Amino acid sequence: MIAERPQLTGGLRLAPPPPDGTARDLAVLIVAYRVPADIAVCLGAVAVHLPGAPVLVWDNSGPDYPGMAGVRAAFPAVSWHGDGRNLGFAAAVNRLAALVPGHDLLLLNPDALLRGGLDATRAALRRPRVAAAAPVIHDDHDASGRGRTWDVAHRRRGLVRGLVSRAGYAEALRRTPFSDLYPAPPGRVEGYLTGACLAISRDAWDALGPFDEEFFLYGEETDWQRRALDAGWTLELTGDAGVEHSGHGTVRDDAVAWRRSADLLRANMALNIEHAAGPRAAGVFLLGDSLLDRVQRSKRASRRAAPRGRRPNVVFTVNRLVFGGAERHHLVLAGELQRRGYRVTVVCLQRFGPLIAEAPAGVRVVRQPWWGPLLDLPPGPTVLISGDTNTETGFATLWRTGGRDRTWLVGAHIPPETDGPTYSAPLAAAMRRADGFVALSPAHRDLVSAHQGVARRFFVAPNGVAAGAELDGVPVRRPVGAVPRLVMLSRIVEHKNPHLLVAALAGLTEFAWELDIFGDGPDREPLEALTPPELAGRIRWRGWSPGPDHAFADADLVCVPSGSEAFPMVILEAMARRLPVIASAVCAVPDMLDDGAAGALVHDITVEGWREALRALLSRTDEWPALGDRGFARMRERYTVEAMADAYEAAFAEATVRA
């Protein structure tokens, strides 16, 4: 599928922005998540103190969350938005900001209560080069009594200050350079203003761009303000009456969501440090934070008190949670194992990535550098499933030496070479130290072991997808229309062969067809340029897609022309929708398509080979629905999430008995 997702800056514009120098009104933007009582109180205060200001709410909790319908009914003047998904804070703010292009922005937490009209804060935005301004915050629920109203303002947080804050010593060291808290209200804010009540200049927003959506939750306003300061803008703490803020957030009554929130905060502190000082500094912060967890008395006691589970802990490693078959496979498998009673953690060795939004609620997702494999896990044995990359293998090698009851399986996903070694000699030697190598199919196992030794023991566990309980659980596809629609969904790199597919179809213009190519990647521009101009109306390069539901919505045939694959998930996604597939016969693909009975196989992976295979299919479009039905039956028989989890459980049981 796709490796990268573009930053979201769009949305429908209601009106063009005013010319430079024009005074701007303030629009209130609120992102809600499962807090109907809090947001009702928040909106009531906005109506009192900012009458007439446009108020826009993005509801990440979904349209059916209990209590939200009543809040919408109570505040009909509010502009309510949301698409049923939890997009995270950054993406939601970006969408709302795009709807009010002529306004300055007031970001307001749903648990923040305005105490006044923010006159001084609004005035600050009218001063030249002020990017953002915020009032003081009153936290009446601060049990320590140590918070200061000006603690909305922070010094720039780096590695040391980040660790001091995580250790809980920021207040004690307030008067030293090691804390990000100011000892007195600052005349100049050198770091950032927290986002509970943050006013942003539209001029600055347009100049600097929107929030970086990689943050998902926490840290996005810190990153944006760092960009502003680096570009010569300023930040102001104002003397307004400010807001009352509970600081409890939106997950105070949900232990699982609270843990996810805490892990996001930690990872996004590291991401801010990475943007400022590089990935090594971020890794040092994460490792330092892990060491603090082990030396601080309260955290040691909490770990000792955790119950020992009946099943082993399961840990998956990835580099980043990006749009690709392997990464989605990890999340799907993690969710199924968690449902079966395993305590599951996904470790991102580089960054989180956009698929964090799809992580199952009960699965923990953390970031840790590959060279610092310290994990906060419940007591008991653990099985770690790494990928077959250098970083994942390095992490697993170091982790496995750190204690007893640790089992390491290599879950391979790199497409195997057919005429030589797939891995470098040092990587293959490192993987041989694992307790097992999990191949995706017998063909995958045979190919990776044909030219080098990569494992002492092999297991086979094909990937799987979710599907209906019965064969008729997915509606029968409609008949193929007069103009069959062919679809390719892939990361656009040369070995995926979109240009080969285009060239093959260029010789079949006597048939009616249209081709949509979904995906982005480093080779898109040169490969797209190879499309013959006369076919521009029939071949459309659609760019990034959020996934198969989007790309396959109107498809009649899914094309997978890759020259190299291990186990292309896109085939299973098509089969799960009863879509017929034509694919290059590489690695596991012949087994997936039952040697051609459950889909069309192309053994001659050339322009001529693909052209002849497509010619045969285009001559018999009336047979496509039956081919899609056979693919669906094959998927239901062998390639479900349940079958995948069964195979991994069998591998766990055998691998933990070391030879």
Side-chain angles (χ1 to χ4, degrees), residues 339-371:
R339 189 189 66 80
R340 296 185 181 197
Y342 293 88
R343 296 160 303 182
V344 184
T345 300
V346 176
V347 182
C348 299
L349 304 182
Q350 295 175 352
R351 308 254 274 264
F352 269 12
L355 277 182
I356 185 65
E358 299 184 18
V363 172
R364 191 171 185 189
V365 184
V366 299
R367 178 180 171 184
Q368 198 72 7
W370 74 264
W371 40 266

Side-chain angles (χ1 to χ4, degrees), residues 18-332:
D20 292 341
T22 302
R24 301 179 189 272
D25 292 329
L26 198 65
V28 181
L29 311 184
I30 301 173
V31 180
Y33 183 70
R34 300 184 176 182
V35 284
D38 284 352
I39 197 168
V41 175
C42 174
L43 291 173
V46 170
V48 171
H49 295 293
L50 294 174
V55 181
L56 294 82
V57 178
W58 188 281
D59 185 8
N60 272 330
S61 53
D64 300 325
Y65 188 78
M68 289 305 299
V71 180
R72 292 190 188 93
F75 294 92
V78 169
S79 179
W80 294 90
H81 301 271
D83 60 6
R85 298 175 295 159
N86 182 2
L87 300 181
F89 181 78
V93 168
N94 289 348
R95 282 162 168 75
L96 294 179
L99 298 175
V100 283
H103 293 73
D104 290 330
L105 311 174
L106 178 68
L107 310 187
L108 192 62
N109 278 12
D111 58 351
L113 185 65
L114 286 178
R115 301 178 69 168
L118 302 179
D119 292 340
T121 301
R122 287 186 286 174
L125 295 187
R126 292 194 288 270
R127 288 191 277 274
R129 303 299 290 176
V130 174
V136 296
I137 287 186
H138 304 269
D139 187 355
D140 295 337
H141 301 276
D142 181 8
S144 70
R146 296 179 298 176
R148 306 291 186 267
T149 58
W150 62 82
D151 283 350
V152 63
H154 294 258
R155 295 165 168 153
R156 183 168 288 206
R157 181 185 284 166
L159 174 59
V160 174
R161 288 176 179 166
L163 288 173
V164 167
S165 177
R166 290 288 293 176
Y169 298 132
E171 171 62 33
L173 299 176
R174 181 188 286 271
R175 298 186 179 278
T176 75
F178 304 114
S179 174
D180 66 342
L181 299 178
Y182 286 102
R188 178 186 179 93
V189 179
E190 66 180 60
Y192 65 96
L193 300 160
T194 57
C197 179
L198 180 67
I200 294 178
S201 160
R202 171 59 67 170
D203 292 333
W205 184 267
D206 290 343
L208 299 168
F211 285 160
D212 181 348
E213 294 179 18
E214 185 174 354
F215 284 89
F216 189 75
L217 179 68
Y218 298 124
E220 52 281 295
E221 79 276 15
T222 304
D223 173 74
W224 189 88
Q225 290 173 81
R226 176 191 55 81
R227 287 153 50 195
L229 291 171
D230 290 347
W233 295 78
T234 61
L235 311 172
E236 287 198 16
L237 177 67
T238 70
D240 278 321
V243 296
E244 180 180 333
H245 183 226
S246 70
H248 289 158
T250 60
V251 294
R252 55 183 178 266
D253 299 322
D254 186 333
V256 173
W258 180 88
R259 188 179 67 178
R260 173 68 57 81
S261 180
D263 290 332
L264 282 165
L265 174 60
R266 175 181 181 270
N268 287 341
M269 287 178 68
L271 184 55
N272 266 301
I273 291 171
E274 179 172 343
H275 285 175
R280 180 55 60 89
V284 172
F285 166 79
L286 292 164
L287 180 58
D289 183 69
S290 297
L291 290 170
L292 285 171
D293 280 346
R294 281 157 174 74
V295 301
Q296 288 188 287
R297 183 178 304 171
S298 61
K299 295 179 180 179
R300 290 203 315 269
S302 174
R303 187 177 295 105
R304 285 195 299 267
R308 185 183 181 95
R310 294 183 298 105
R311 297 175 182 268
N313 303 307
V314 176
V315 175
F316 293 93
T317 65
V318 297
N319 285 320
R320 292 182 66 190
L321 285 172
V322 294
F323 288 95
E327 290 76 15
R328 272 206 168 103
H329 152 264
H330 281 302
L331 292 182
V332 169

Side-chain angles (χ1 to χ4, degrees), residues 307-315 334 336-345 377-383 405 407 645-646 648-650 652-653 656:
R308 185 183 181 95
R310 294 183 298 105
R311 297 175 182 268
N313 303 307
V314 176
V315 175
E336 175 61 18
L337 291 174
Q338 188 270 335
R339 189 189 66 80
R340 296 185 181 197
Y342 293 88
R343 296 160 303 182
V344 184
T345 300
L377 300 174
T382 299
V383 178
D405 289 336
T407 301
D646 289 344
Y648 267 92
E649 284 194 295
F652 296 166
T656 51

Side-chain angles (χ1 to χ4, degrees), residues 81 83 113 255 338 342 415 419 430 435 469 472 511 541 594 606:
H81 301 271
D83 60 6
L113 185 65
Q338 188 270 335
Y342 293 88
D419 55 358
D435 298 294
D472 60 354
F511 292 96
W541 294 72
D594 196 14
T606 64

Side-chain angles (χ1 to χ4, degrees), residues 368-552:
Q368 198 72 7
W370 74 264
W371 40 266
L374 297 181
L375 300 177
D376 179 19
L377 300 174
T382 299
V383 178
L384 183 143
I385 302 141
S386 77
D388 47 355
T389 65
N390 288 315
T391 50
E392 293 175 84
T393 302
F395 180 92
T397 300
L398 294 172
W399 171 85
R400 191 168 177 267
T401 63
R404 301 178 62 185
D405 289 336
R406 297 187 177 192
T407 301
W408 168 26
L409 297 175
V410 176
H413 289 279
I414 291 176
E417 299 292 335
T418 57
D419 55 358
T422 298
Y423 307 104
S424 68
L427 179 55
M431 290 192 296
R432 282 197 296 271
R433 301 189 187 101
D435 298 294
F437 186 103
V438 183
L440 292 161
S441 71
H444 182 210
R445 175 198 60 207
D446 295 344
L447 282 171
V448 297
S449 60
H451 300 281
Q452 62 185 154
V454 296
R456 293 176 292 157
R457 283 189 290 184
F458 282 95
F459 306 99
V460 174
N463 287 340
V465 292
E470 303 295 336
L471 185 60
D472 60 354
V474 175
V476 175
R477 302 293 301 189
R478 68 185 187 285
V480 179
V483 181
R485 187 180 179 203
L486 283 57
V487 169
M488 178 179 177
L489 171 63
S490 170
R491 185 167 186 252
I492 306 301
V493 290
E494 187 171 2
H495 79 267
K496 297 288 187 177
N497 280 343
H499 54 304
L500 182 149
L501 178 61
V502 168
L505 286 168
L508 297 171
T509 54
E510 70 272 21
F511 292 96
W513 53 262
E514 292 181 350
L515 171 66
D516 288 297
I517 300 174
F518 290 93
D520 210 343
D523 298 337
R524 177 183 170 185
E525 184 175 349
L527 295 180
E528 184 175 351
L530 298 176
T531 302
E534 63 272 16
L535 294 180
R538 300 179 71 177
I539 297 176
R540 297 175 289 268
W541 294 72
R542 297 291 196 180
W544 179 84
S545 169
D549 282 338
H550 170 260
F552 295 165

